[in-house]
Amino acid sequence: MTDSKYFTTTKKGEIFELKAELNSDKKEKKKEAVKKVIASMTVGKDVSALFPDVVNCMQTDNLELKKLVYLYLMNYAKSQPDMAIMAVNTFVKDCEDPNPLIRALAVRTMGCIRVDKITEYLCEPLRKCLKDEDPYVRKTAAVCVAKLHDINAQLVEDQGFLDTLKDLISDSNPMVVANAVAALSEIAESHPSSNLLDLNPQSINKLLTALNECTEWGQIFILDCLANYTPKDDREAQSICERVTPRLSHANSAVVLSAVKVLMKFMEMLSKDLDYYGTLLKKLAPPLVTLLSAEPELQYVALRNINLIVQKRPEILKHEMKVFFVKYNDPIYVKLEKLDIMIRLASQANIAQVLAELKEYATEVDVDFVRKAVRAIGRCAIKVEQSAERCVSTLLDLIQTKVNYVVQEAIVVIKDIFRKYPNKYESVIATLCENLDSLDEPEARAAMIWIVGEYAERIDNADELLESFLEGFHDESTQVQLQLLTAIVKLFLKKPTETQELVQQVLSLATQDSDNPDLRDRGYIYWRLLSTDPVAAKEVVLAEKPLISEETDLIEPTLLDELICYIGTLASVYHKPPSAFVEGGRGVVHKSLPPRTASSESTESPETAPAGAPPGEQLDVIPTQGDLLGDLLNLDLGPPVSGPPLATSSVQMGAVDLLGSGLDSLIGASNFVSPPAAAVPANLGAPMGSGLSDLFDLTSGVGTLSGSYVAPKAVWLPAMKAKGLEISGTFTRQVGSISMDLQLTNKALQVMTDFAIQFNRNSFGLAPAAPLQVHAPLSPNQTVEISLPLNTVGSVMKMEPLNNLQVAVKNNIDVFYFSTLYPLHILFVEDGKMDRQMFLATWKDIPNENEAQFQIRDCPLNAEAVSSRLQSSNIFTIAKRNVEGQDMLYQSLKLTNGIWVLAELRIQPGNPSFMLSLKCRAPEVSQHVYQAYETILKN
């Protein structure tokens, strides 16, 4: 009879009987009793009362009985630590047993008993087992070190076990090597800072030698370890790839994926001109294809990994389209994944095949799959231009089937096709309008409304169609309401005479009867635009829309590179980095691909670019987007009012400035559902001076003529926060004009266009003096340098800190917000030299409590050098005298808003510390003026 009989008993009060049986003299009876105890423990009964009796059974030569007792011990040692100590002697004895299986069993159990009191007793037996003559014992002991490290890391380090583990990497037995690597990798993951796996060409060579002879899991440990190594050059990378390639033909899919990960990572270092690079690409395809003949769950994991590989290197599988065709019996999750990869591999060469296949899928019975297939046809049209016509006719055929969900998906994708190929396929609009009544999904309704609004001049009854949607305006989803508002405003601008009532109706519905802030804001903006300047409204709402890019659902490049390093793990199935789903700090190490070699085509990969500003530069002042929106939204929504008259300019911020200050460029395309703040900087920017852009034509990159200090560019907006757009910059003052020198880098996969910039109100009224001009579209991985002229006639609002500047930048993708600190010396004007008598009178006139004193340390300049350096940044020395061996410099400077700052600088020859006294009627600027002194004198 099998051991299942032990689980069928339901007797009460058997603990007492078991106790008697465990103490029996007969070996067989003892074994039976221990089996019953383990069975009770397994089904959840508490048999901890039998602890001493079970431990007594440890003294036996019978391996099966010993295993059972050890199993019991592992389970109850935590709740009975005092009793568990009784078992320590047996462990120590078993670690010296002549049978290697028993030695290994003892050391394995020791690792699983997570009791602090016991761990120190286990160090000696573990040390012996790590140096045991039998490889089976050594490999078990290696894993035990990792377990012990998890319980008490300090103990493992003090006992020198980590060094012993490192020595085991050179062991003669491949399984010992694999387990040592696995143990070290595990420890290194929980302590990312420790350099445990100090890999060098010699140790890599040993690992590669062991790779051929290990078990499959041993191979995976070694391959994962190899993937963390960065070869010193492309020759070493190639030699490792050559030795790893045979693993691609392994029967275990996990080994294959680990090998693919190593090869994908090291291919980064190989030049595409090498013959070997081409050979490697050819070798990678067959194993990936083979993975797709496994059972569905494995297929799914393989497909998720292939999805990443195809995004990184589509050339690997470009000839293998057929294996991704869907089989009738594939589960839905496999079908959808295959469909995704088919689109990624679609090209001019195979598009006919793909379309025929997709058209077939669109007549299936599975609704989700059919929807995805129809979307896929649209994506093909956008990706492969030559196929667009065929795709549109396929979609029209599908619309004729009158199957509701097919029609709705088709309309959504046709809208995108119109955006990609304007004025080409508009002849199909009539067919679309016939299906208007059957649309019940928000996305399809919104798409149809967009089409009607965009092509209103071609549709005779456009007003009737839109009016039919307006009847149930408040029951529609936000997406549809926003689209309807924009479409009716477009219609009004195209046919003003017959649609006046309609536009009044929708504007009052959107503003007065709606409590959705997005809808209200958009309604008010349109209302103001239409009432103040219909010509400007036309330019804004009917502006030419940017073409949409082909692949919108690609993974962001830096994330893709990180995920490639996690092929074959959960991260590659979720398509998220481990930090997104692993709780706590353990095991989350950010990985990236090795930098490309010089011979490769890309000189700077996104990973090597700086990810943030220098520490201390601006991190403490960047508000969250929420704060910024709150600030940028600080508008009243009554009729437009004039801004306060400013000291430096009498320009009134009237209604027309709403349009003149770049609002049109910030709203962008009319079907672009922007956050409210996208439209807000309306009255934040400065009114454009006529011809300012000519006056300030500094974009040709003139050097700093006056010699004023310019800080090096810092990253203001990292790419990860702006969908791939990275902005670095600095501020300069050149012969009286202030500029913001920007460097825009496109780290996304799509072209960026339609740039515009807006500043929030700030302490000194800084505002762009001309539009942000990026003359050509910014392609992926391209960088452009721009000098944006600034003036100081914008709206003023005191910021915290005083020199904080909040900026909104818009492109065809979205609107992005960031905040930066400008150095105050860019605001020091050229006529800041005060007359001597005036200086004396003003110094006396400013109250003493307004005087602030600062110390400037580590500045080894003499008075002459200090004076000339400060003068180049418009801090003027009015008088100089020597008092008791000290040089006293009396200086003045004037800010753009007319505030004077007076200074006394005391310099003791030979002493690198200066004393600076500042007097000013606005004492809050003193701290920033002192910072300007420090910056200018120390750079």
Side-chain angles (χ1 to χ4, degrees), residues 235-518:
R235 282 181 57 194
E236 190 186 355
Q238 182 175 336
S239 99
I240 293 174
C241 288
E242 282 167 354
R243 293 178 68 179
V244 167
T245 311
R247 298 298 112 216
L248 292 173
S249 51
H250 200 285
N252 184 325
S253 49
V255 176
V256 174
L257 283 175
S258 293
V260 168
K261 169 168 61 183
V262 175
L263 297 173
M264 285 291 290
K265 205 166 170 187
F266 291 175
M267 275 170 87
E268 282 293 302
M269 298 186 70
L270 302 179
S271 160
K272 288 193 172 178
D273 313 332
L274 280 176
D275 293 343
Y276 180 69
Y277 182 85
T279 315
L280 198 51
L281 284 180
K282 285 188 192 124
K283 284 184 177 170
L284 274 168
L288 292 173
V289 170
T290 308
L291 290 176
L292 298 182
S293 52
E295 50 269 33
E297 293 78 10
L298 279 180
Q299 274 189 55
Y300 178 71
V301 171
L303 286 164
R304 292 293 280 174
N305 281 281
I306 289 169
N307 200 326
L308 295 174
I309 293 164
V310 165
Q311 287 184 53
K312 184 73 185 165
R313 298 196 186 283
E315 62 271 29
I316 293 177
L317 288 160
K318 66 179 177 193
H319 301 306
E320 304 291 345
M321 175 63 88
K322 277 199 168 147
V323 298
F324 298 107
F325 286 175
V326 171
K327 298 191 182 79
Y328 76 96
N329 58 350
D330 280 339
I332 181 69
Y333 54 88
V334 170
K335 284 181 176 176
L336 296 178
E337 208 54 44
K338 281 185 172 177
L339 209 49
D340 211 27
I341 295 169
M342 278 169 66
I343 311 298
R344 299 206 192 288
L345 291 175
S347 65
Q348 211 175 328
N350 57 24
I351 194 74
Q353 238 183 338
V354 173
L355 273 180
E357 204 49 33
L358 291 175
K359 191 172 180 182
E360 199 63 38
Y361 299 163
T363 56
E364 291 269 341
V365 287
D366 191 317
V367 178
D368 283 342
F369 181 51
V370 172
R371 283 173 180 278
K372 184 107 178 193
V374 177
R375 292 236 169 175
I377 295 172
R379 279 173 61 189
C380 284
I382 289 166
K383 187 174 181 187
V384 185
E385 192 167 339
Q386 295 74 6
S387 73
E389 198 148 328
R390 196 181 292 168
C391 291
V392 172
S393 65
T394 307
L395 288 169
L396 286 176
D397 291 348
L398 292 172
I399 289 175
Q400 297 308 337
T401 62
K402 300 288 183 198
V403 177
N404 190 322
Y405 55 85
V406 175
V407 172
Q408 309 213 47
E409 288 296 334
I411 286 175
V412 172
V413 296
I414 286 176
K415 178 203 73 172
D416 289 340
I417 294 173
F418 286 167
R419 284 285 307 275
K420 177 74 175 172
Y421 309 111
N423 306 321
K424 223 170 172 186
Y425 301 110
E426 280 74 8
S427 53
V428 308
I429 291 175
T431 317
L432 302 183
C433 291
E434 290 165 17
N435 293 283
L436 207 102
D437 299 336
S438 64
L439 306 181
D440 53 15
E441 290 168 16
E443 200 177 357
R445 288 171 78 83
M448 193 65 226
I449 292 167
W450 182 85
I451 292 169
V452 174
E454 189 64 20
Y455 300 105
E457 68 279 12
R458 304 182 189 206
I459 304 171
D460 301 333
N461 62 339
D463 49 345
E464 290 169 26
L465 297 178
L466 291 176
E467 201 166 355
S468 67
F469 282 105
L470 206 55
E471 287 157 12
F473 186 77
H474 289 304
D475 303 329
E476 300 285 6
S477 71
T478 308
Q479 184 183 6
V480 177
Q481 290 176 333
L482 285 164
Q483 206 54 269
L484 194 52
L485 171 61
T486 302
I488 291 176
V489 172
K490 282 184 196 172
L491 176 66
F492 171 69
L493 291 168
K494 290 174 183 178
K495 303 179 179 176
T497 46
E498 57 245 59
T499 53
Q500 199 147 2
E501 269 182 46
L502 192 59
V503 82
Q504 283 290 343
Q505 193 184 346
V506 77
L507 286 173
S508 73
L509 279 172
T511 52
Q512 289 156 21
D513 305 345
S514 167
D515 45 13
N516 180 320
D518 284 2

Side-chain angles (χ1 to χ4, degrees), residues 61-119:
D61 301 332
N62 183 319
L63 191 57
E64 188 186 7
L65 181 53
K66 212 177 238 332
K67 276 185 179 174
L68 291 168
V69 174
Y70 276 173
L71 193 61
Y72 177 89
L73 240 162
M74 282 188 250
N75 199 34
Y76 283 118
K78 204 157 194 173
S79 57
Q80 307 261 355
D82 298 333
M83 303 289 274
I85 290 182
M86 291 164 37
V88 167
N89 284 338
T90 318
F91 280 136
V92 175
K93 217 162 92 188
D94 281 356
C95 283
E96 291 171 7
D97 195 277
N99 182 346
L101 289 175
I102 289 182
R103 297 203 296 275
L105 182 64
V107 81
R108 178 181 291 126
T109 313
M110 278 159 37
C112 295
I113 294 180
R114 305 177 62 82
V115 177
D116 285 338
K117 282 186 184 176
I118 299 180
T119 41

